[in-house]
Amino acid sequence: MTEVVNKSRLLWACRRGMLELDVLFIPFVKEAFDDLSSADQFTFQRLLTCEDPELFAWFMGHKVCPDAELAKIVDVILKRVKV
């Protein structure tokens, strides 16, 4: 069973308390989210439930994400930004 993603809600969830995260997530959703597999889309949505300090540490390379699925999405986003 496939769940239709509400892009407006997803974009709203991408608005964080940290500008550094906003500039990663919002363009990613607008430009690359649709290209992810449904499993990776679900994982990205799960990533958005994490706390900002955790996310910031993972994206800045201060800590390694302990969840392999989330770490994969972090890597996908970082590789896309470093084009």
Side-chain angles (χ1 to χ4, degrees):
M1 84 182 163
T2 26
E3 181 183 327
V4 176
V5 175
N6 182 327
K7 275 290 210 35
S8 298
R9 285 182 189 229
L10 193 58
L11 285 168
W12 181 256
C14 288
R15 296 183 57 182
R16 313 302 292 201
M18 295 182 163
L19 179 62
E20 297 88 347
L21 297 175
D22 289 356
V23 299
L24 288 172
F25 292 155
I26 293 171
F28 181 79
V29 169
K30 288 181 177 179
E31 300 163 11
F33 181 80
D34 293 336
D35 296 332
L36 296 175
S37 68
S38 57
D40 285 347
Q41 287 181 353
F42 174 77
T43 302
F44 177 76
Q45 291 175 73
R46 195 162 60 87
L47 181 75
L48 294 178
T49 67
C50 298
E51 297 294 325
D52 285 358
E54 260 183 334
L55 292 168
F56 183 79
W58 298 339
F59 280 98
M60 297 303 127
H62 301 298
K63 290 185 180 175
V64 175
C65 177
D67 181 304
E69 290 178 343
L70 294 179
K72 175 186 170 191
I73 297 300
V74 168
D75 191 48
V76 166
I77 294 169
L78 286 174
K79 283 181 178 168
R80 189 184 168 285
V81 171
K82 291 180 183 174
V83 170

